[in-house]
Amino acid sequence: MKKAALASAIVSLLCLASANAFATPRAGQDAAKVTPDMIQTGSDIPAKWNLPEGNFDYVRREVMIPMRDGVKLHTVIMIPKGAHGLPMLLERTPYDASGMMPGKSPKMADAVWSGDKDWADGSTILVAQDIRGKYGSEGKYIMTRPPMGPLNPTKTDDTTDAWDTIDWLVKNIKESNGNVGMIGSSYDGWTVAMALLHPHPALKVAAPESPMIDGWMGDDWYHYGALRQVNLDYFTGQMTKQGSGETVPRDNYDDYTNFLQAGSAGDYAVAHGFGQLPWWKRFAAHPAYDAFWQLQALDRLLVAHPSNVPTMWLQGLWDQEDIYGAVHAWEALDKAGHGANNHLVMGPWWHSQINRDGWNMGPLKWPGNTTAQFRQQVMIPWFQHYLRGMPLATPLPQAMIYNPVEQRWDSFTDWKPASEQSLTPLYLQGDFGLGFEAPSGGGDNYVSDPAKPVPYLARPIPQENDRWRTWLVQDQRFVETRPDVLSYTTPVLTKTVTVQGAPIADLFARTTGTDGDFVVKLIDVYPGTVPSDPTMGGYELPVSMDIFRGRYRKSFAEPAPIPANEVQEYKFRLPTVNYAFKPGHRIMVQIQSTLFPLYDRNPQTYVPNILFAKPADYRKATITIEHGADGKSAVLLPVAGNAAL
């Protein structure tokens, strides 16, 4: 057959097949019949979907609990099936109670967020509540709503809301034994601390984890007056919507570039619409530690209104967000004579890591899951002792602090508040040495240029940054060779130097400017080679560091210009440690004037409010660190035992 004829035949067959597809059924063939059950005229989405829960091992309830002023707060309650006489664990949060306890699994341990999994073993009723004005709760949201008083003229605060919530729970949850514990981290830790100012009689035990205690002195917003400007995203995330708000959009991948191009932190905020936020307006009007901040400092309020509730003040040794609150609250209470029912716990963790896995802290690896071990072996048994009368195998010590070098928990019956510690000066020496002997004289200088600030992490530093959680343990070799960073180092240690407590930076410095910041880092320098972990060879591990804004050297409430070219003393506390510098290692102290973009740049020219410094205010300054007749700069160490190099 020729090609043309073959093609014609194929076309004819295809046409015949197509015609047969639409042909009337022949005799004997049944036509397809449409019955009424095939037709849906409404929506295929039911008005309400009810998940069958017959095989669930818990009952999930959502209720609106009324407060004394009539406002109702959205509350999620998870009750083990068949529960009778169980205690309740309450967490009050601005982070979505429903999201913390979604209840989308038959097993209670799989139906709650990671922080509650170990609690969801059938022994405890779990309760999560949205605070006022957030997510499902009624009322007005106010950032860390101040206690009733000069800053809060209403008749309610998070103390009364906790009281009213607990009162409702013990009266309405028939499966409970009437005992309540409170727990929560960060903002949720702040709500626990607020509940302790006037606790309900049914509140039997509490654990504020990494709580926001003083936002100006050293928690989320400022550190000794230096603004933590990367936390501005938290403002929009919390206050642009009742639910989860948006982060600030970025022009560049690298936040170092974004904040540098913006100018001042105030310029950055205004450019991104912060003028619409009442909190920003209050915040920006009070850059110094005035009554606005002092009246919200919970460590002071806890001492003024001490409770008898057994309380575990818990935080991480490298908490990148709230490293100040727990230890200062505990110290204030202990110093005021309330140490019997208050305990300090510090683990080898980043912020809120206690609620997640704890196998490591950045490059530091632990011999087990430290967080799970602590929850299961210490925290939960301690709570159940007060909530259910369960016996304790070992009483909780006054302080329980992890030793990251020896990789063990150390217990202390006489842990001293920082103000009562004995301190040993580790002096800056000539030729960038460091030692316990007083220096003979001299000084070292560097030029701090606000146009080229020292980064807190190796660039680029994106907005979504996996290194944020562990920036406090990042290898500091990436800045050691910068001309605006001074590094002082001891000889190789021949014996262990153990530091237990809060180091104090004590700098004597001159500047050509009229303002300036000082960053001090206490660092463990590893040997050049580490056979057990080659990646740690020469690692410069920060053990404790912080920043201090120079205008507050005499008073946090009343800033003053720095007299140019005159030696001034800058003395400030570094975060608490329990650390052993081992033989073969060296101790290093680094000093610099910027830690960017984590902290806003000091213009180094005195202006009334650094938040709104103008471009012309930002000027280079030469800083001289003295270690001689004009001042013996040092880091004062709480050394355990005798120290020698």
Side-chain angles (χ1 to χ4, degrees):
M1 183 179 292
K2 294 183 179 180
K3 290 183 179 180
L6 178 59
S8 177
I10 292 173
V11 170
S12 298
L13 289 171
L14 291 173
C15 291
L16 179 61
S18 177
N20 286 338
F22 296 97
T24 302
R26 297 176 183 175
Q29 288 182 323
D30 293 331
K33 296 180 180 179
V34 176
T35 58
D37 63 293
M38 299 178 183
I39 302 171
Q40 173 70 344
T41 58
S43 172
D44 271 339
I45 300 175
K48 183 179 180 181
W49 168 255
N50 293 307
L51 181 68
E53 298 177 351
N55 63 335
F56 281 31
D57 66 4
Y58 63 93
V59 175
R60 182 179 186 274
R61 301 177 187 169
E62 291 193 51
V63 297
M64 297 295 288
I65 297 180
M67 301 294 103
R68 62 191 62 187
D69 61 348
V71 169
K72 296 179 180 179
L73 303 186
H74 173 248
T75 309
V76 181
I77 306 169
M78 304 278 273
I79 305 173
K81 271 191 178 173
H84 177 73
L86 295 186
M88 293 177 281
L89 185 69
L90 170 64
E91 182 163 356
R92 305 190 63 251
T93 181
Y95 302 127
D96 187 11
S98 293
M100 294 171 65
M101 297 181 180
K104 296 181 180 179
S105 173
K107 295 184 181 300
M108 188 168 169
D110 296 327
V112 296
W113 78 295
S114 61
D116 282 336
K117 288 187 180 298
D118 286 338
W119 298 89
D121 61 354
S123 66
T124 308
I125 298 168
L126 301 180
V127 184
Q129 182 182 74
D130 294 321
I131 63 173
R132 285 176 180 249
K134 290 300 293 180
Y135 291 90
S137 286
E138 300 173 352
K140 298 176 181 179
Y141 174 72
I142 296 176
M143 175 72 74
T144 53
R145 181 186 296 266
M148 289 184 292
L151 299 179
N152 177 4
T154 73
K155 299 298 182 182
T156 61
D157 55 19
D158 280 280
T159 304
T160 64
D161 284 353
W163 204 100
D164 293 348
T165 298
I166 293 172
D167 196 60
W168 188 95
L169 290 171
V170 297
K171 291 176 180 176
N172 290 277
I173 305 301
K174 64 182 185 300
E175 297 90 346
S176 83
N177 66 359
N179 293 335
V180 178
M182 281 193 73
I183 198 168
S185 183
S186 197
Y187 199 123
D188 299 10
W190 180 85
T191 65
V192 178
M194 285 291 292
L196 292 170
L197 295 181
H198 179 49
H200 191 283
L203 181 59
K204 303 300 183 182
V205 63
E209 304 166 332
S210 301
M212 301 164 69
I213 295 296
D214 192 323
W216 195 94
M217 291 297 293
D219 283 324
D220 290 270
W221 315 136
Y222 287 92
H223 273 226
Y224 300 125
L227 174 69
R228 305 196 104 203
Q229 63 183 359
V230 298
N231 285 355
L232 293 175
D233 280 299
Y234 186 82
F235 293 9
T236 56
Q238 282 290 98
M239 290 170 284
T240 54
K241 293 181 182 178
Q242 183 164 341
S244 179
E246 304 296 332
T247 57
V248 177
R250 300 304 203 259
D251 294 327
N252 303 280
Y253 177 73
D254 188 355
D255 256 358
Y256 186 100
T257 302
N258 289 320
F259 282 97
L260 195 60
Q261 289 180 347
S264 69
D267 287 340
Y268 176 90
V270 170
H272 290 96
F274 280 49
Q276 304 168 69
L277 303 176
W279 162 252
W280 166 253
K281 294 178 181 178
R282 300 196 305 278
F283 181 97
H286 299 279
Y289 195 60
D290 60 10
F292 177 74
W293 297 106
Q294 293 178 29
L295 293 174
Q296 299 184 62
L298 287 189
D299 50 350
R300 301 183 183 196
L301 292 169
L302 288 160
V303 169
H305 306 279
S307 83
N308 293 319
V309 177
T311 303
M312 177 187 292
W313 297 94
L314 190 150
Q315 71 178 53
L317 287 164
W318 287 284
D319 189 315
Q320 81 282 7
E321 294 180 21
D322 291 304
I323 203 166
Y324 182 95
V327 66
H328 281 79
W330 177 84
E331 286 186 7
L333 288 162
D334 184 75
K335 189 175 180 179
H338 306 293
N341 65 305
N342 287 282
H343 306 265
L344 176 65
V345 174
M346 302 183 73
W349 307 317
W350 38 260
H351 182 70
S352 296
Q353 192 178 2
I354 178 59
N355 294 304
R356 297 167 178 82
D357 284 336
W359 296 96
N360 65 294
M361 174 66 198
L364 306 178
K365 303 176 182 66
W366 315 127
N369 188 345
T370 56
T371 51
Q373 292 168 352
F374 180 80
R375 291 192 302 266
Q376 295 162 11
Q377 298 171 16
V378 180
M379 176 180 278
I380 292 176
W382 190 71
F383 263 69
Q384 297 293 15
H385 173 69
Y386 292 103
L387 293 174
R388 301 177 67 195
M390 306 293 287
L392 275 175
T394 305
L396 188 66
Q398 179 195 42
M400 185 175 175
I401 304 178
Y402 197 81
N403 185 324
V405 176
E406 305 295 345
Q407 298 190 335
R408 67 171 187 239
W409 287 97
D410 290 338
S411 295
F412 300 90
T413 57
D414 59 348
W415 186 265
K416 302 293 186 187
S419 60
E420 300 175 10
Q421 293 175 341
S422 176
L423 299 171
T424 301
L426 183 62
Y427 293 105
L428 309 187
Q429 308 275 7
D431 297 324
F432 296 101
L434 196 62
F436 291 112
E437 306 82 18
S440 58
D444 305 295
N445 61 58
Y446 60 92
V447 175
S448 174
D449 185 355
K452 300 176 182 178
V454 181
Y456 80 100
L457 281 172
R459 297 178 63 187
I461 307 171
Q463 175 187 8
E464 298 297 330
N465 182 5
D466 289 340
R467 295 176 295 161
W468 166 246
R469 287 177 170 173
T470 59
W471 76 266
L472 281 172
V473 294
Q474 293 293 314
D475 192 341
Q476 295 302 298
R477 283 178 290 189
F478 81 101
V479 298
E480 184 183 358
T481 58
R482 282 184 60 120
D484 51 358
V485 177
L486 302 183
S487 298
Y488 299 85
T489 313
T490 67
V492 174
L493 300 179
T494 58
K495 70 176 188 178
T496 299
V497 176
T498 300
V499 181
Q500 294 178 331
I504 305 293
D506 189 17
L507 301 184
F508 293 86
R510 287 183 286 115
T511 176
T512 58
T514 52
D515 201 356
D517 294 345
F518 294 90
V519 177
V520 175
K521 310 172 191 173
L522 180 65
I523 296 169
D524 181 4
V525 182
Y526 278 61
T529 59
V530 180
S532 61
D533 188 353
T535 61
M536 295 299 290
Y539 201 97
E540 294 180 3
L541 174 70
V543 175
S544 183
M545 74 165 85
D546 218 329
I547 188 171
F548 184 89
R549 185 140 284 175
R551 60 173 53 203
Y552 300 112
R553 67 202 178 280
K554 295 182 179 180
S555 169
F556 290 123
E558 299 178 1
I562 298 172
N565 298 307
E566 293 185 17
V567 175
Q568 301 285 294
E569 184 178 17
Y570 304 90
K571 193 172 185 178
F572 56 100
R573 173 177 169 169
L574 302 180
T576 296
V577 301
N578 179 30
Y579 197 86
F581 295 91
K582 303 297 284 185
H585 292 232
R586 292 176 295 152
I587 303 174
M588 175 183 284
V589 169
Q590 281 186 352
I591 300 171
Q592 59 201 57
S593 288
T594 45
L595 204 57
F596 189 78
L598 173 57
Y599 294 98
D600 67 331
R601 295 173 301 148
N602 191 314
Q604 302 180 151
T605 303
Y606 187 86
V607 295
N609 189 338
I610 289 179
L611 292 178
F612 300 103
K614 303 303 180 186
D617 298 326
Y618 292 88
R619 301 175 187 174
K620 295 180 183 179
T622 299
I623 289 89
T624 302
I625 305 298
E626 302 288 347
H627 45 79
D630 290 331
K632 295 177 174 58
S633 296
V635 174
L636 312 180
L637 299 180
V639 177
N642 295 323
L645 299 179

